[in-house]
Amino acid sequence: SNVYSLPEIDFVGGSSATLIFNVYANQDDPRPFALTSCVANFAVIDYINKTGDPLISKQMIVRPSSNDLIYNVATVELKPEDTLDLFGKYIYQVTIRDAEGNVDIPQHGVLYIHNNINKGFLRG
């Protein structure tokens, strides 16, 4: 199985971005996975140096999908300062922990951040 099972994400460093993930039981089961009592975390690490601390680690917001009442959507808001000084290829990870402390197998994806050529403007 592909270790990078989440979608590839591509944006310019320093952009505001809302990333939205629909969570299902597993790749072979399209039923929504209820995240009602769960917490979710979004983390980013360098593609080459996979053993260091995450460059970004943020709690995700869990909400229902628009068409039903099952809380199976996890979102993360990336602010400009989260990615302004990053550019290159990264790995992102979504980790879900339930109320009992059980952690689902974290899912990975590849994140490409393009260099922002006007960092000074964003820093004010």
Side-chain angles (χ1 to χ4, degrees), residues 26-103:
N26 62 53
Q27 287 180 319
D28 303 319
D29 186 348
R31 287 178 302 173
F33 181 79
L35 299 171
T36 310
S37 61
C38 298
V39 291
N41 176 270
F42 177 86
V44 172
I45 197 157
D46 193 83
Y47 188 83
I48 303 299
N49 179 19
K50 297 178 175 82
T51 59
D53 288 330
L55 303 167
I56 300 170
S57 179
K58 301 191 90 160
Q59 183 157 339
M60 302 178 82
I61 296 164
V62 173
R63 63 175 177 78
S65 59
S66 56
N67 56 352
D68 63 50
L69 300 175
I70 298 176
Y71 279 69
N72 78 310
V73 177
T75 66
V76 64
E77 299 280 340
L78 293 180
K79 299 189 176 347
E81 58 269 22
D82 291 330
T83 61
L84 184 58
D85 292 317
L86 301 180
F87 66 93
K89 187 176 182 179
Y90 299 89
I91 296 168
Y92 72 92
Q93 174 176 300
V94 174
T95 308
I96 297 167
R97 186 177 67 230
D98 69 16
E100 288 78 45
N102 300 311
V103 175

